[in-house]
Amino acid sequence: ASTHWAYRPPVRPPVPDAGDGWARNPIDRFVAARLDAEGLAPAPPADRATLVRRLFLDLTGLPPEPADVDAFLADGRPDAVGRLVDRLLDSPHHAEHLARAWLDLARYADSDGYEQDPARPIWRWREWVVDAFDRDLPFDAFTVEQLAGDLLPSPTLEQRVATGFHRNTMTNKEGGIDPEEFRVAAVMDRVETTAEAWLGSTLSCARCHDHKVDAFTQREYYELYAFFDQTAADGAEAGATLRAPSPRDAERAARTREQLAALDRHVLRDDPLLDDEQAAFEETLRATRPDWTPLRPTATRTRNATKLAVRDDGSVLASGYLPGADVYELRAPLPAGPLSALRLELLRDPSLPAAGPGRAPGGRLVLSELELLVRRADGTVDVLHPARAVTSATRGPDGEPPAPDRAVDGDPETAWSLAGEPGRDQQLVAPLDPPFPAAPGDVLVAKLHQYSGVEELVGCFRLSVAMSAPRGEPAAAPPETEALVLACDTRGPRADNALRRWFRRERSALLAEERARRTELEAELVAPVTLVMREVDTPRDTRLLERGDVTNPGERVAPDVPAVLPPLGFRPTPGKPRADRLDLARWLVAPGHPLTARVTVNRLWADVFGRGLVATVDDFGRRGDAPSHPALLDWLATEFVAGGWDVDALLRLMTTSATYAQSAAVSPALRERDPDNRLLARASRRRLDGEVLRDVALAASGLLDRTIGGPSVFPPQPEGTWSRTYSALAWETSTGGDRFRRGLYTFWRRTAPYPTFQLFDAPTRELRCLRRPVTNTPLQALALLNDPAFLEAARGLADRMRAEAGPADDDRLAHGFRLCTARAPEDGELAVLRELVASERRAFAEDVEAARALVDACTPPGTGGPGLARDDAGGLAATPASDATARDAADLAPWIVAANVLLNLDETVTRN
């Protein structure tokens, strides 16, 4: 095994003395030497319009504007290409383009996968990736922060966000599963993703036995597994989620806080009417508040594997496995007497996300039904039916009224939703009318039904009962507020101010409008939640799993690396007895490591040239391809490390080479000799990826919203795409600029990915993907012709042709052609397009309704010219001049057809 080329450290070879008069940098001399040995010559340079479009697409994933092309064509300086490359590398859209490929590798998705496939909050990690590429973070730091940013000394917030890389694993929250089985599956996925991404090695088969081809044993697999076995399980343990405000939001947050301060000053003004309203509320609360007796459960159980721990004060804390839905059942002895009300306190706890009281990000929870039974001493069961409920909460997670009655209405399809509120417990009070006569020996059986399907479960709670006659409709308030009201005779000025502030902010009917505005402003300040890695407090005992079976653990293993690779070099200390993920990450990027630099430069080469020097970018083992240019691969790897792991510098070297600048034209003889272009005697043509196809169409149409970062968006997709997925998630099509964001930001659901991207070979991202297949199918052509997003782009391109070029048809068509292909059309091409517009113009003049229907189908809501704007209902808005609307539609429709043709040209959808 040690003789296999990939396991020997790369040695910097001398640059060949070849390619004089052609070579621009060392890459070309290695390529020229190979071509000389094969008796071949490089292809002539590509024309400059093709080259500028190629650079834009390869470095930013977006096409150039005509002004960009003109500037490059006019630049006669010898370093014109280098200047353009530098400008593109400095563009934030370059970072987005690099991030898209990394998301494939990292199996990024906005949902968990499996069964219901609920949404997950992890877009902040995607934003971190874009930012890391934008600031050209060296690849060694990029590696360390993603694999072990949380273990760095005094890690920053962004370094902790970076660890979301390995929280992109699928998570199963179906009822009845074995949580440990799927935790182990997630750990295995982390091992295998790390191996393919950094080592170019496939380790999956070593789960069950020694690798049959490469030099990896089953024990070594589990030694790598041990590095990741010590991390908190997905959603089940404290610290697995993190509130992570975006650096981009700091300025907006400062403005929002100023607005809140001004609103506070208005709300807390001196006003006798508000003071009188508060006094009446306090009097009602004191008069109706029952005397509560906390219950101490003697038995608990859950529908799934959630753990319920009863504490000394009677409160119950949920922990461990976090399913999508659950039912908590508690049994507690009742005191004898008339049971007039039951109270469910929702309590904060530092172990919960945002301190709770729910287990969902932000402390949210959803209670579908509170079922109450009394089991008599004689075995009979009585059902308690509260007719109503009141709550101390004033709003739900989205600012809507909390609707507490939904928790006691007997309908599991309705639910009470609650948002976590910093520093505040909440409660739900369910009065019983008439009171229930509890006898000695009676036991309350309380069932908390929670069916949201997205982990919004109760985290910490306590049940209490009131054993007295009812005293009227209760006026519920948070427990700490109740205490202030009851202490009216002894509270001081500070307590008076606290109660006044709470009442005016949360309960005053006279300040309802101000409260609604506060909700809007506070929502802007809520930092997004993201998933992160964290080491468990109590180390797990990692064992080899016989035949990969989680139920069949074997010998104990400690973290280590395969023997065929350099040693880890870890030495135990009293404060650190075993190696961790940080040691593994630093080992991966240690100088002289045989694989990491080779694998990385090969993947970047494949992104630029269409095929890796090692064609199997995910497999450098014996089953993988041998490198086509081994000396070039080692020179690039050593250059990458010596240059400080600078990704942009490496890309600059590649894209300023003469090898890159070659024409893609190929002779029949060369195609026969080298069909895959392994010898690099020409440039490679390739169809654009699905996301890039859509971005190119939006950019050419002028519709593209170039906003960087932020949550995922929902552009138009065919009706019914999500109708077969078993979940309450719904595709709510984005409006405004979000409708036209780059494909990078499209919501990615594993069970139903964006259909156009899938048609063009995008992965589902259930697993890592280091190289996408390329297929050609009739469905792809149909999508480009008929997909709503491409139809809207055709309308936008038609508008640009008419608005930005002169009135002559040829000028408009030439402009549209350049927007799509970067070059001017030839006379024959222009003649075909001219005849197309003329024939469509005649046809639509005879059938105005067909013109209106086409314009309607291609016009996004809220956009369009005079008489052609679409309303929010999706139809063409009526105008007084309906005949003018018809004439406008008949004039616009031929240009939409022409634009659709231009967007579907082979040259538009191909990188040449």
Side-chain angles (χ1 to χ4, degrees):
S2 62
T3 62
H4 185 58
W5 67 269
Y7 304 139
R8 296 193 299 269
V11 177
R12 188 177 182 86
V15 177
D17 185 14
D20 290 344
W22 175 71
R24 298 179 184 173
N25 64 35
I27 288 176
D28 301 324
R29 296 193 177 276
F30 283 100
V31 172
R34 178 68 189 277
L35 292 177
D36 289 346
E38 297 286 341
L40 296 172
D47 66 85
R48 287 173 69 85
T50 297
L51 180 59
V52 67
R53 184 173 188 267
R54 181 186 298 173
L55 286 166
F56 265 81
L57 291 174
D58 285 346
L59 293 179
T60 70
L62 297 173
E65 288 289 314
D68 297 313
V69 179
D70 291 340
F72 182 69
L73 296 180
D75 190 347
R77 291 172 291 186
D79 62 345
V81 172
R83 288 173 176 271
L84 176 60
V85 167
D86 288 341
R87 180 163 72 88
L88 295 177
L89 292 176
D90 286 340
S91 166
H93 303 304
H94 164 64
E96 291 179 309
H97 189 58
L98 286 179
R100 185 181 61 81
W102 191 256
L103 298 194
D104 273 2
L105 180 152
R107 68 278 195 234
Y108 172 87
D110 294 293
S111 69
D112 284 345
Y114 298 110
E115 200 204 26
Q116 295 186 6
D117 197 19
R120 63 165 44 164
I122 199 169
W123 61 265
R124 271 288 281 115
W125 174 79
R126 178 184 61 200
E127 194 170 70
W128 179 90
V129 174
V130 173
D131 180 68
F133 282 125
D134 189 41
R135 53 193 169 95
D136 198 15
L137 182 68
F139 188 77
D140 55 346
F142 185 75
T143 295
V144 169
E145 292 187 17
Q146 288 186 93
L147 295 182
D150 58 312
L151 300 179
L152 289 168
S154 303
T156 66
L157 174 66
E158 293 302 300
Q159 287 170 333
R160 295 184 66 194
V161 170
T163 65
F165 174 86
H166 269 322
R167 290 301 309 281
N168 283 307
T169 50
M170 293 206 299
T171 304
N172 193 348
K173 299 178 178 119
E174 300 175 43
I177 67 165
D178 177 5
E180 179 64 8
E181 175 187 355
F182 286 93
R183 186 194 72 82
V184 167
V187 175
M188 288 178 169
D189 179 65
R190 289 167 186 147
V191 172
E192 293 156 19
T193 298
T194 303
E196 289 188 26
W198 279 274
L199 303 177
S201 301
T202 58
L203 294 186
S204 301
C205 64
R207 293 182 183 186
C208 307
H209 50 70
D210 290 351
H211 203 294
K212 297 299 184 183
V213 179
D214 295 326
F216 303 112
T217 67
Q218 185 187 21
R219 180 182 177 84
E220 288 172 338
Y221 178 96
Y222 285 98
E223 287 172 341
L224 285 172
Y225 175 100
F227 285 107
F228 300 100
D229 194 35
Q230 306 307 317
T231 55
D234 291 356
E237 293 168 280
T241 59
L242 177 70
R243 279 219 171 267
S246 170
R248 303 178 192 277
D249 293 336
E251 185 176 342
R252 186 185 68 178
R255 291 196 302 268
T256 301
R257 290 190 182 94
E258 290 176 2
Q259 292 174 290
L260 279 169
L263 184 63
D264 260 352
R265 288 192 293 272
H266 172 70
V267 165
L268 297 176
R269 67 188 186 276
D270 290 334
D271 189 323
L273 287 177
L274 293 173
D275 292 338
D276 291 344
E277 186 188 23
Q278 178 182 333
F281 168 81
E282 291 188 51
E283 184 178 351
T284 301
L285 182 64
R286 283 191 292 269
T288 61
R289 181 188 181 275
D291 294 323
W292 294 108
T293 301
L295 301 179
R296 180 172 175 78
T298 55
T300 65
R301 68 176 181 178
T302 63
R303 189 85 43 102
N304 288 295
T306 307
K307 299 175 183 176
L308 297 180
V310 179
R311 302 190 289 194
D312 292 342
D313 62 355
S315 62
V316 180
L317 178 65
S319 64
Y321 176 59
L322 180 57
D326 210 338
V327 178
Y328 300 168
E329 181 177 324
L330 297 87
R331 300 190 176 204
L334 282 172
L339 174 59
S340 63
L342 182 134
R343 179 174 70 176
L344 173 66
E345 292 178 88
L346 300 165
L347 307 173
R348 295 171 53 77
D349 188 90
S351 69
L352 300 171
R359 300 188 69 193
R364 301 191 315 275
L365 62 87
V366 171
L367 181 62
S368 303
E369 195 66 25
L370 177 61
E371 183 182 359
L372 302 172
L373 309 171
V374 175
R375 185 173 296 277
R376 299 284 197 172
D378 61 4
T380 59
V381 175
D382 290 305
V383 180
L384 304 183
H385 295 289
R388 66 194 188 284
V390 293
T391 177
S392 58
T394 57
R395 55 188 179 272
D398 300 315
E400 76 282 1
D405 288 346
R406 295 176 181 174
V408 294
D409 62 1
D411 184 358
E413 297 298 319
T414 64
W416 172 49
S417 300
L418 183 70
E421 297 185 49
R424 184 174 300 153
D425 299 332
Q426 297 290 1
Q427 60 178 308
L428 176 87
V429 175
L432 298 176
D433 191 10
F436 177 81
D442 287 354
V443 174
L444 177 71
V445 180
K447 297 181 182 181
L448 281 66
H449 297 264
Q450 303 157 88
Y451 301 132
S452 75
V454 288
E455 309 170 17
E456 294 175 323
L457 305 182
V458 175
C460 187
F461 63 100
R462 179 170 51 214
L463 290 168
S464 302
V465 293
M467 310 301 295
S468 62
R471 291 191 275 178
E473 184 71 21
E480 65 272 20
T481 303
E482 283 189 353
L484 291 175
V485 172
L486 296 176
C488 57
D489 296 330
T490 58
R491 66 181 185 233
R494 176 177 292 186
D496 280 338
N497 288 334
L499 182 57
R500 185 169 180 256
R501 177 182 293 270
W502 174 86
F503 178 79
R504 293 194 179 190
R505 279 184 170 184
E506 306 295 343
R507 194 52 59 98
S508 171
L510 300 176
L511 295 173
E513 291 184 8
E514 289 84 348
R515 185 156 52 253
R517 178 57 179 156
R518 169 172 290 280
T519 298
E520 294 174 1
L521 292 173
E522 288 177 341
E524 295 178 8
L525 287 178
V526 174
V529 173
T530 193
L531 306 177
V532 295
M533 299 284 277
R534 187 189 72 84
E535 296 289 90
V536 295
D537 297 325
T538 303
R540 294 188 178 94
D541 185 23
T542 304
R543 295 179 177 271
L544 182 150
L545 301 179
E546 300 291 350
R547 305 183 70 83
D549 183 359
V550 67
T551 66
N552 192 12
E555 61 179 310
R556 182 180 288 109
V557 295
D560 208 348
V561 296
V564 73
L565 297 173
L568 183 64
F570 172 76
R571 294 185 178 180
T573 64
K576 188 177 179 180
R578 54 187 285 154
D580 58 23
R581 284 180 284 117
L582 183 57
D583 298 297
L584 175 66
R586 287 172 171 165
W587 171 80
L588 286 169
V589 292
H593 194 290
L595 286 171
T596 302
R598 278 183 177 135
V599 169
T600 304
V601 300
N602 185 65
R603 188 172 60 249
L604 292 170
W605 183 279
D607 290 342
V608 170
F609 289 92
R611 180 188 180 93
L613 295 171
V614 177
T616 51
V617 296
D618 54 347
D619 190 354
F620 276 45
R622 292 184 178 275
R623 292 179 301 178
D625 286 5
S628 60
H629 297 69
L632 174 57
L633 178 63
D634 280 5
W635 186 88
L636 287 169
T638 54
E639 179 74 7
F640 188 40
V641 175
W645 301 85
D646 189 332
V647 171
D648 280 358
L650 189 67
L651 291 173
R652 190 184 196 282
L653 192 68
M654 293 177 184
T655 54
T656 56
S657 67
T659 304
Y660 178 83
Q662 294 178 101
S663 168
V666 56
S667 67
L670 184 56
R671 186 185 300 277
E672 178 71 21
R673 174 104 178 255
D674 185 18
D676 296 326
N677 196 27
R678 290 176 60 86
L679 300 177
L680 299 169
R682 56 186 168 89
S684 296
R685 300 176 73 248
R686 60 181 184 272
R687 193 206 62 221
L688 302 175
D689 288 342
E691 300 96 314
V692 181
L693 283 170
R694 183 174 174 276
D695 292 350
V696 164
L698 290 175
S701 71
L703 293 174
L704 182 67
D705 186 312
R706 298 175 185 250
T707 303
I708 307 293
S712 295
V713 297
F714 301 83
Q717 70 172 0
E719 290 289 337
T721 300
W722 279 16
S723 63
R724 295 179 182 272
T725 54
Y726 172 46
S727 173
L729 275 181
W731 186 277
E732 300 289 344
T733 302
S734 297
T735 58
D738 283 352
R739 187 184 185 92
F740 307 114
R741 297 286 302 283
R742 293 195 70 171
L744 174 73
Y745 302 110
T746 297
F747 190 94
W748 203 288
R749 191 174 189 188
R750 286 183 163 117
T751 56
Y754 194 65
T756 304
F757 297 167
Q758 269 210 299
L759 281 177
F760 288 95
D761 309 311
T764 62
R765 292 192 177 153
E766 293 170 294
L767 297 172
R768 62 216 159 268
C769 174
L770 277 72
R771 49 176 173 158
R772 294 187 182 187
V774 179
T775 63
N776 286 288
T777 71
L779 283 177
Q780 293 169 348
L782 290 170
L784 292 178
L785 285 167
N786 301 299
D787 184 282
F790 286 91
L791 290 178
E792 292 178 0
R795 162 70 198 266
L797 180 57
D799 286 340
R800 286 195 74 177
M801 288 192 287
R802 297 200 307 162
E804 296 176 6
D809 287 359
D810 282 8
D811 292 341
R812 292 177 174 182
L813 290 169
H815 184 56
F817 195 96
R818 290 194 74 201
L819 286 168
C820 293
T821 68
R823 68 174 178 87
E826 298 176 357
D827 290 344
E829 294 167 329
L830 193 58
V832 172
L833 291 169
R834 186 188 308 124
E835 175 55 32
L836 171 67
V837 170
S839 64
E840 293 298 316
R841 186 176 283 142
R842 289 191 297 269
F844 285 122
E846 296 175 0
D847 190 350
V848 175
E849 287 308 310
R852 289 175 61 93
L854 177 62
V855 173
D856 191 357
C858 299
T859 304
T863 64
L868 293 176
R870 285 185 73 177
D871 57 27
D872 291 335
L876 285 176
T879 66
S882 58
D883 57 336
T885 303
R887 287 196 303 271
D888 287 341
D891 184 54
L892 176 58
W895 293 102
I896 292 177
V897 173
N900 201 20
V901 169
L902 291 173
L903 292 174
N904 278 270
L905 292 176
D906 178 72
E907 197 169 343
T908 303
V909 303
T910 304
R911 177 275 205 196
N912 285 304

